[in-house]
């Protein structure tokens, strides 16, 4: 899809990033190898891959919850290893599990994460109120999350990760497990956030979401990028009409 | 306090106070349920005791007109049952009577003929014990009466029997007596409550957060992980300690209002100072237990794994809890540096009114050091990505070495708990039969369960190490057993005398041997444990630990730890741990469980036969001479050398994943 906002300044730069885990048998397991890409303000960059392709590991490295074993990356100008705290200040991270505290209310969660990101006083209260209103959850603000529907929980999750107005959003399969309506609402929000000039890195294995949202796509398989470009560029490169076919060929070819 | 720490503490506190499990474990259990249950059970007991007092009990006699039949007739609480003279014992055994007695004349051929009364009672049955007590009391009265009559006939005033009048005066205050009474249950209850509260708080705050995916969310906030760790540690430690305080408050209230009373029915008075001191000591105890449990919760990859991994902590806590209940074990420098046990002993001494300031300071310093070490470890663990994110979704008891190891620990820990309670129950019901059933029924069942849990049923011979050993290994085992007896028994006595004085156990053991009879004693105390305990500890535990990749030493000590724990005896822990290590060494070097079985049998059988010989010949058990030590040393060295010649089994630690 085409966004009205022009591609802006560089927000995420990934250079030869790799992550290796020790396996049970003593051999190294390469979750991600030699990964390089970049993403700009106002752009949605999609990571497309099967389960176990390395999408979540890549996003967790960018979010600093995992440390890369090789390569470098910067988020909002900060190195993910040396300036991890600044990186975490600059991102909003959301996964399918939402990561919500079920015994806290929507307002308490959004307020707590606003506080942890350094907001306080009137500014904090104003941001909490505005964020809850934006996502239509102000009516449920004082309800404990355990009582909310799955779609509402996802909205609270998004509100939680944007309350501090981060320039970069990292979304790890945010529609996984949601019904059609809730997934559509989530995707609407992602478009809105991108239109506001945020850089969005979005992982999924659903083709329709990629077609609808992503400006550029990287197809990941066995920890490596098999192809990267806009949807049209990928169709042309693989001489296929449908993106699904492109994906299947990319992941089936020997790398 | 840093603002981020304050925010995290607020968040944790808000979550916890809305958790029903926390409310139940931290508030309802200690404040209402336990005091209520204790009070109710005490009332039930006293009601039962009252009913027993009023109950008529049956006494089997051979002749209702015999010289002593009147004893029964004069006691309205006893009913005579006439049976054949040769079936008095059978009458009690078959429950046709609660107790039986018969007269036999001794001293035949002499000028003086003394009457001897033999009483048969089944000491495992409460009604029989009570009947026996009443009967013996009645005979005691009869004897005193007969003596008075004899003295009167001889013209001697009967008052002259009371040469010395004894009157005991207790100098303990009511608070000290109340404290000593409270110590019987308060410390045990407090430690168990601390464990329960700590486990609920710790599992929810880390393992639970990992499972719900909220820990990662928290770690993505721009705060240091050490701040997050600090907040969690503070909440768990404070929450656990607060639960301990509530437990104490519940206990004091139940004493104050008389819900719980002393064994003799009197009210328990607890002074304000001991209670305050106890409350102060509950804080470091709660903090340490809570922090250790938090470390386990951080290490575990799921809520379930955390809960099962915490079971051994409860077993370990039972040791100081039981130790502190024994007044005969005195506080010492050694105990003052044992975590939790030091605080438990301080609590007991405080309640009894004789707290040592030196031991108090030493214990607090030691606890502070342990706490600092645990906190450091927990903080470091919370920084490890594989522990926090749990990306390794290996199933809890999967067919991997670590999965097998976890399954083994789980099966051993739960087996010990079940064995302890079920075994106790069986033995209280059937005595010798119960012991045999718990050895031959329960333990093999646990071995099978352990094999199932560790997915080792197919390879059971290989895992248990059932293979024919070389003759040299067998000889080595026998020599090791004989060599080990003297150092282990003397060392055991030394540890006991120095750190935890208790009754002379070899003498008590020798007494119980007499009751069993030698062949049965050898079967039950030597042959049975040698077979079934070896199957469980040197077979299953050592086998699975080795196959899970643990080094031989760690696997041997691990199996020895469970072996020592299973004996559920404070006094014998060190002895059984050392013996377990020796048995593990023999099984490992001898390449067969039959070697450790032989060692175990030789050791136990030698002890049984030796004690029987010493007690029959009324010889003092003190074989600490030059010859004894030389023979022991020679046996140990020869045994070690013979076993060292055996090559340990290659590939015992192979990867089975």
């Amino acid at each position: 899809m085409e966004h009205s906002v022009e591609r802006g300044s560089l927000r995420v730069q990934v250079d030869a990033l790799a992550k290796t885990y020790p396996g049970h048998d003593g051999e190294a397991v390469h979750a991600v190898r030699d990964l390089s890409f970049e993403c700009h303000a106002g752009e949605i960059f999609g990571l497309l891959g099967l389960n176990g392709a390395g999408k979540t590991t890549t996003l967790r490295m960018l979010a600093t919850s995992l440390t890369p074993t090789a390569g470098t990356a910067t988020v909002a100008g900060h190195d993910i290893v040396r300036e991890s705290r600044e990186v975490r200040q600059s991102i909003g991270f959301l996964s399918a599990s939402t990561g919500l505290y079920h015994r806290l209310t929507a307002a308490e969660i959004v307020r707590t994460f606003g506080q942890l990101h350094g907001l306080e006083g009137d500014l904090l209260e104003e941001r909490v109120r505005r964020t809850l209103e934006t996502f239509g959850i102000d009516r449920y603000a004082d309800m404990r999350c355990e009582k909310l529907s799955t779609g509402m929980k996802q909205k609270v999750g998004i509100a939680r990760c944007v309350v501090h107005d981060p320039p970069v959003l990292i979304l790890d399969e945010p529609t996984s497990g949601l019904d059609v309506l809730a997934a559509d609402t989530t995707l609407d929000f992602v478009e809105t956030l991108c239109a506001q000039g945020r850089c969005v890195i979005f992982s999924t294995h659903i083709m329709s979401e990629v077609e609808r949202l992503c400006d550029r796509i990287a197809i990941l398989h066995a920890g490596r990028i098999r192809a990267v470009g806009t949807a049209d560029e990928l169709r042309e490169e693989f001489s296929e009409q449908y993106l699904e076919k492109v994906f299947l060929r990319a992941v089936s070819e020997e790398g | 306090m840093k603002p981020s720490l304050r925010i995290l503490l607020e968040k944790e506190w808000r979550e916890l106070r809305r958790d029903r499990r926390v409310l139940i474990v931290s508030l309802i259990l200690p404040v209402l349920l336990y005091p209520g249950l204790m009070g109710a059970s005490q009332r039930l007991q006293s009601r039962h005791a009252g009913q027993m007092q009023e109950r008529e009990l049956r006494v089997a006699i051979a002749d209702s007109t015999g010289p002593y039949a009147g004893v029964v007739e004069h006691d309205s609480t006893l009913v005579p049952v006439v049976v054949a003279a040769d079936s008095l014992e059978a009458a009690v055994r078959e429950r046709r009577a609660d107790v039986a007695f018969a007269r036999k004349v001794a001293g035949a051929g002499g000028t003086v003929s003394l009457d001897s009364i033999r009483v048969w009672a089944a000491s495992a049955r409460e009604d029989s014990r009570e009947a026996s007590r009443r009967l013996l009391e009645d005979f005691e009265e009869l004897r005193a009466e007969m003596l008075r009559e004899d003295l009167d006939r001889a013209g001697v005033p009967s008052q002259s029997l009371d040469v010395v009048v004894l009157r005991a005066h207790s100098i303990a205050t009511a608070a000290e007596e109340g404290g000593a009474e409270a110590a019987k249950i308060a410390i045990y209850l407090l430690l168990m409550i601390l464990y329960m509260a700590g486990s609920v708080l710790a599992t929810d705050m880390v393992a639970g957060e990992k499972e719900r995916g909220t820990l990662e969310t928290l770690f993505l906030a721009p705060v240091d992980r050490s701040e997050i760790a600090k907040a969690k540690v503070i909440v768990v430690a404070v929450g656990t300690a607060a639960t301990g305080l509530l437990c104490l408050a519940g206990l004091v209230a139940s004493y104050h209002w008389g819900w719980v009373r002393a064994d003799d029915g009197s009210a328990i008075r607890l002074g304000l100072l001991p209670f305050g001191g106890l409350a102060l000591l509950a804080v470091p105890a709660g903090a340490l237990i809570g922090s250790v449990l938090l470390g386990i919760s951080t290490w575990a990859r799921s809520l379930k794994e955390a809960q099962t991994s915490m079971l051994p902590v409860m077993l370990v806590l039972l040791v100081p809890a039981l130790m502190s209940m024994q007044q005969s074990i005195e506080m010492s420098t050694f105990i003052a540096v044992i975590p939790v046990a030091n605080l438990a002993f301080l609590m007991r001494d405080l309640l009894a009114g004789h707290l040592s300031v030196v031991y108090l300071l030493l214990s607090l310093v030691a606890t502070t050091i342990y706490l600092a070490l645990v906190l450091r470890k927990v903080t470091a663990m919370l920084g490890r990505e594989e522990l926090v994110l749990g990306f390794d979704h290996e199933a809890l008891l999967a067919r991997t070495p670590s999965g097998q190891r976890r399954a083994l620990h789980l099966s051993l820990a739960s087996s010990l708990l079940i064995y302890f309670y079920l075994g106790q129950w069986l033995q209280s019901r059937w005595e010798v039969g119960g012991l045999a059933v718990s050895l031959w029924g329960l333990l093999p069942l646990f071995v099978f369960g352990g094999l199932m849990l560790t997915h080792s049923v197919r390879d059971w011979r290989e895992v248990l190490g059932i293979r024919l050993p070389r003759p040299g290994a067998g000889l080595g085992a026998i020599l090791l057993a004989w060599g080990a007896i003297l150092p282990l028994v003397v060392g055991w006595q030394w540890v006991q005398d120095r750190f935890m004085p208790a009754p002379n156990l070899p003498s008590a053991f020798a007494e119980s041997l007499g009751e069993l009879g030698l062949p049965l004693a050898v079967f039950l105390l030597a042959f049975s444990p040698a077979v079934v305990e070896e199957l469980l500890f040197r077979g299953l535990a050592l086998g699975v630990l080795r196959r899970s990749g643990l080094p031989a030493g760690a696997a041997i000590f691990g199996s020895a730890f469970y072996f020592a724990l299973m004996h559920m005896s404070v006094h014998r822990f060190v002895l059984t741990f050392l013996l377990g290590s020796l048995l593990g060494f023999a099984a490992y070097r001898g390449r067969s469980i039959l070697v450790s079985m032989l060692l175990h049998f030789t050791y136990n059988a030698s002890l049984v036969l030796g004690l029987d010989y010493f007690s029959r010949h009324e010889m003092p058990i003190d074989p600490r001479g030059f010859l004894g030590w030389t023979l022991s040393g020679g046996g140990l060295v020869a045994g070690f050398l013979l076993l060292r010649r055996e090559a340990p089994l290659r590939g015992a630690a192979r990867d089975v994943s």
Side-chain angles (χ1 to χ4, degrees), chain A residues 2-228:
Chain A
E2 294 300 320
H3 291 295
S4 56
V5 176
E6 287 291 310
R7 181 182 284 196
S9 55
L10 186 65
R11 291 284 189 230
V12 176
Q13 185 167 30
V14 178
D15 186 18
L17 208 60
K19 180 69 184 177
T20 306
Y21 299 128
H24 281 301
D25 50 5
E27 284 182 24
V29 177
H30 300 284
V32 171
R33 294 192 245 202
D34 197 25
L35 204 73
S36 300
F37 63 86
E38 53 188 43
C39 188
H40 298 80
E43 183 183 21
I44 301 181
F45 184 81
L47 284 178
L48 190 62
L50 300 170
N51 290 336
K55 304 186 297 288
T56 300
T57 302
T58 304
L59 298 184
R60 280 175 162 169
M61 282 193 284
L62 293 179
T64 76
S65 53
L66 286 181
T67 310
T69 41
T72 57
T74 57
V75 174
H78 302 291
D79 186 275
I80 59 168
V81 177
R82 290 195 306 275
E83 298 166 297
S84 60
R85 193 175 171 136
E86 286 78 6
V87 170
R88 292 200 294 275
Q89 182 68 44
S90 314
I91 61 166
F93 184 97
L94 182 72
S95 66
S97 74
T98 68
L100 294 182
Y101 291 94
H102 288 184
R103 294 192 289 272
L104 299 187
T105 67
E108 283 168 348
I109 287 175
V110 175
R111 186 176 292 110
T112 300
F113 279 85
Q115 286 176 312
L116 288 173
H117 282 86
L119 300 177
E120 54 187 8
D122 292 342
L123 178 64
L124 171 73
E125 292 310 317
E126 172 59 20
R127 281 278 181 81
V128 171
R129 187 188 59 75
R130 211 173 60 199
T131 310
L132 292 172
E133 276 176 10
T134 306
F135 293 99
I137 44 178
D138 47 333
R139 280 184 298 156
Y140 311 100
D142 295 324
M143 195 183 274
R144 286 194 201 177
C145 284
E146 62 197 350
K147 292 178 182 165
L148 296 176
S149 67
T150 312
M152 292 301 290
K153 281 179 189 164
Q154 194 67 337
K155 285 183 185 178
V156 177
I158 299 173
R160 190 251 314 148
C161 71
V162 299
V163 65
H164 56 292
D165 196 19
V168 177
L169 282 174
I170 298 174
L171 309 176
D172 185 15
E173 300 189 11
T175 58
S176 176
L178 297 186
D179 62 30
V180 179
L181 192 65
D184 185 60
T185 313
T186 304
L187 297 180
D188 281 346
F189 284 131
V190 174
E191 285 177 325
T192 309
L193 294 166
C194 178
Q196 289 168 354
R198 290 185 176 89
C199 164
V200 180
I201 300 181
F202 181 92
S203 86
T204 184
H205 53 260
I206 303 169
M207 296 302 146
S208 58
E209 291 182 356
V210 174
E211 294 257 31
R212 174 177 164 182
L213 287 178
C214 298
D215 298 296
R216 285 188 308 126
I217 306 153
I219 298 176
L220 235 71
H221 187 62
R224 291 181 192 275
I225 288 184
R226 292 299 175 91
V228 65

Side-chain angles (χ1 to χ4, degrees), chain B residues 2-332:
Chain B
K2 279 189 179 179
S4 54
L5 183 60
R6 183 183 51 78
I7 298 162
L8 289 165
L9 285 173
E10 279 175 7
K11 179 234 127 198
E12 300 289 1
W13 167 239
R14 202 172 281 143
E15 267 218 297
L16 279 185
R17 69 170 197 241
R18 290 175 188 170
D19 187 349
R20 263 182 288 184
R21 289 166 307 169
V22 172
L23 288 179
I24 290 168
V25 171
S26 295
L27 201 64
I28 296 172
L29 274 183
V31 177
L32 297 175
L33 195 64
Y34 276 124
L37 282 176
M38 278 165 58
S41 81
Q42 202 174 48
R43 269 164 184 68
L44 272 175
Q45 272 180 8
S46 52
R47 199 172 138 192
H48 175 73
Q51 284 171 345
M52 181 57 88
Q53 288 289 332
E54 290 166 12
R55 197 169 143 196
E56 285 186 346
L57 296 169
R58 298 157 302 166
V59 182
I61 49 176
D63 180 5
S64 62
T65 56
Y68 293 107
V71 172
V72 181
E73 281 166 13
H74 284 119
D75 190 333
S76 60
T77 64
L78 297 175
V79 182
V81 179
V82 180
V83 299
D86 56 353
S87 63
L88 285 165
E89 186 181 340
V92 178
R93 193 178 299 285
E94 291 161 11
R95 295 177 184 257
R96 284 183 279 128
D98 300 305
V99 69
F101 78 89
R103 167 182 177 256
K104 65 176 182 180
V105 178
T111 52
V112 180
S113 169
L114 291 173
D115 270 2
S116 166
I117 308 288
R118 184 161 188 187
V119 176
W120 288 274
S123 57
R125 278 164 32 203
E126 193 184 353
D127 47 4
S128 186
R129 282 201 306 271
E130 174 63 18
S132 166
R133 187 190 63 76
R134 288 183 201 171
L135 194 62
L136 291 174
E137 245 175 38
D138 290 343
F139 273 119
E140 196 56 46
E141 275 179 25
L142 179 66
R143 196 170 66 164
E145 183 61 33
M146 287 164 75
L147 189 61
R148 267 196 298 274
E149 283 173 7
D150 284 353
L151 288 171
D152 285 346
R153 271 198 297 272
V156 180
S158 56
Q159 291 87 338
S160 61
L161 282 175
D162 303 325
V163 181
V164 180
V165 178
L166 297 173
R167 283 202 188 93
H169 290 281
S170 172
I171 56 161
T173 62
E176 284 169 353
E177 281 179 355
E181 194 63 40
K184 288 179 186 170
I185 186 70
I187 300 162
Y188 176 83
L189 191 64
L190 179 68
L191 290 182
M192 290 301 109
I193 286 278
L194 290 178
Y195 166 80
M196 276 193 282
S199 61
V200 168
L201 293 170
T203 44
D204 186 71
M205 287 187 61
V206 184
E209 282 217 35
K210 268 192 237 180
E211 204 162 273
R212 295 188 293 269
T214 48
L215 195 62
E216 187 176 7
T217 307
L218 197 60
F219 273 40
L220 289 168
V223 288
D224 290 338
R225 287 185 180 183
S226 60
E227 293 285 298
I228 297 171
K230 251 187 235 170
K232 290 192 179 295
V233 166
I234 289 172
V235 172
V236 170
V238 170
T240 308
T243 306
L245 296 182
L246 286 171
C247 168
L248 290 176
L251 268 177
V252 170
S254 57
Y255 293 153
H256 183 76
W257 283 303
W259 299 335
V260 178
R261 293 174 168 272
D263 290 341
D264 61 2
S266 61
I268 299 173
R269 297 274 168 247
L270 205 58
L272 196 62
L273 193 67
F275 171 69
L278 208 60
L280 282 177
L281 289 172
V283 174
L288 186 59
I289 293 170
S291 304
V292 169
L293 295 171
L294 191 70
I296 294 172
S297 179
T298 309
W299 167 84
R301 274 170 285 200
S302 66
L303 206 67
K304 211 171 184 176
E305 190 179 8
Q307 285 164 342
T308 51
S309 307
M310 285 174 186
L311 267 177
V313 176
M314 191 178 82
L315 285 170
V316 171
L317 281 178
L318 274 176
V319 177
L322 295 173
M323 274 170 76
S324 65
M325 286 165 80
Q326 299 195 22
Q327 296 282 346
S328 58
I329 305 176
E330 287 185 12
M331 181 67 162
S332 64

